Amino acid sequence: MNKSKLKALFSNMCCSACGHDFEEDSFFIKREEKSLIVLQVVCAECGKSFGLAFLGIGSVDIKDEKPLEFQPCPMPISYDDVLDAHHFIDKLEKDWNKYIPDELKNNL
C-alpha cells in the first residue's frame, strides 16, 4: 500500500500533541501482507509516536476522494486546565451527586 493511501485513511485525524495533520512521512510500514499492514505512526511535525497500528485491509479499495469536513483538532489539555478542574472539584459540596440524574447514578 502506498503512503498516499495511508494518508487518506488518516485524513480526518491529527496529532494530539501539536495539532499537525499526518503526512505521508508520518507512516512507517513495518510489515505488509495480503490483508494486513502493520505500521508505526509518528507526527512529522513534533515527533510524537502513536505506536503501531494494525490495519486489516482485505479487499477494501481506498479511494482518493475529498475528505469529509471535520472540526479542527482540539488543543491538548494544559496544566492550567488540570488545575482549573482540581479547583472546581475541590469546591464541590459534599452532596454533589444530587446534580447527577438518577438513571446515571447506578453507573457510579
Side-chain angles (χ1 to χ4, degrees):
M1 169 172 281
N2 67 35
K3 290 188 175 187
S4 65
K5 290 192 178 195
L6 287 172
K7 182 181 176 191
L9 275 175
F10 288 84
S11 65
N12 297 323
M13 298 181 213
C14 65
C15 176
S16 61
C18 71
H20 192 267
D21 290 337
F22 292 116
E23 301 293 336
E24 288 182 23
D25 55 352
S26 298
F27 309 109
F28 301 92
I29 298 173
K30 301 294 184 181
R31 184 173 182 169
E32 188 169 2
E33 296 179 7
K34 182 178 180 182
S35 61
L36 175 74
I37 294 175
V38 179
L39 64 112
Q40 181 181 18
V41 181
V42 177
C43 177
E45 182 71 17
C46 71
K48 178 178 179 176
S49 176
F50 292 90
L52 295 175
F54 297 83
L55 302 176
I57 300 300
S59 61
V60 175
D61 186 29
I62 302 166
K63 298 180 180 180
D64 295 324
E65 294 180 2
K66 192 175 189 179
L68 299 172
E69 293 294 325
F70 285 88
Q71 294 179 351
C73 288
M75 294 298 297
I77 295 173
S78 70
Y79 292 108
D80 289 336
D81 294 332
V82 174
L83 289 173
D84 289 345
H86 172 76
H87 292 304
F88 175 80
I89 293 168
D90 196 40
K91 292 179 182 178
L92 287 175
E93 300 169 359
K94 289 183 181 181
D95 59 345
W96 59 268
N97 59 358
K98 68 182 178 186
Y99 300 107
I100 298 175
D102 289 334
E103 61 270 10
L104 297 177
K105 286 183 181 179
N106 297 333
N107 296 331
L108 293 178

